[in-house]
Amino acid sequence: MTPEELSDFALELPSATDDEAFGPGATVFKVEGKVFAILQDATDERPAQVTLKCEPDLALHLRDQYSAVRPGYHVNKRHWNTVLLDSTVPAPEIKEMVEHSYDRVVSGLPKAVRERLRLQRG
């Protein structure tokens, strides 16, 4: 999955927005002002990567399953994974990770907001 494809997918989720809150080279995706993904541009040392919120047991499982999935970069490593976009993790799996992250963040929002987003998502 390319960074552009990931960005397009993330922005299709209800009320998802993006900005460069942490500066150039890091696109932050939010729902209702809460971060659910951080997409960092490629550097000379590594490919582009995305940091996603994740249920702790699933986070460990994904790290065991894919070498490109690592503990979150500059975030709580128990609740976040960083995924290298190096083509070793299948695109459908990355999409599931993005949706899971979005859902984890939405689950912490007020009930009325959760319900509105659920209806928008279908």
Side-chain angles (χ1 to χ4, degrees):
M1 174 172 260
T2 68
E4 294 77 17
E5 291 168 336
L6 188 140
S7 180
D8 290 345
F9 181 76
L11 289 172
E12 289 175 3
L13 297 167
S15 294
T17 60
D18 66 338
D19 61 34
E20 289 187 337
F22 303 142
T27 304
V28 179
F29 297 90
K30 299 177 183 179
V31 56
E32 298 295 321
K34 303 290 185 181
V35 175
F36 71 92
I38 305 165
L39 178 62
Q40 294 176 280
D41 293 344
T43 67
D44 291 339
E45 293 82 36
R46 62 156 177 76
Q49 63 186 20
V50 62
T51 301
L52 301 163
K53 193 161 192 167
C54 192
E55 186 278 321
D57 289 335
L58 178 58
L60 293 173
H61 172 74
L62 291 169
R63 292 174 200 167
D64 286 342
Q65 188 172 1
Y66 299 105
S67 63
V69 178
R70 300 172 179 176
Y73 180 72
H74 286 301
V75 290
N76 183 322
K77 290 166 182 11
R78 184 166 186 265
H79 294 277
W80 293 80
N81 277 339
T82 295
V83 183
L84 298 176
L85 300 179
D86 63 359
S87 300
T88 62
V89 180
E93 184 75 27
I94 293 175
K95 287 181 177 183
E96 283 185 35
M97 291 181 203
V98 171
E99 288 181 316
H100 176 74
S101 181
Y102 175 89
D103 291 341
R104 297 276 299 169
V105 172
V106 168
S107 71
L109 297 173
K111 184 177 180 179
V113 175
R114 289 193 314 262
E115 183 63 20
R116 176 176 48 81
L117 294 172
R118 185 187 67 76
L119 291 171
Q120 287 176 355
R121 197 161 178 192

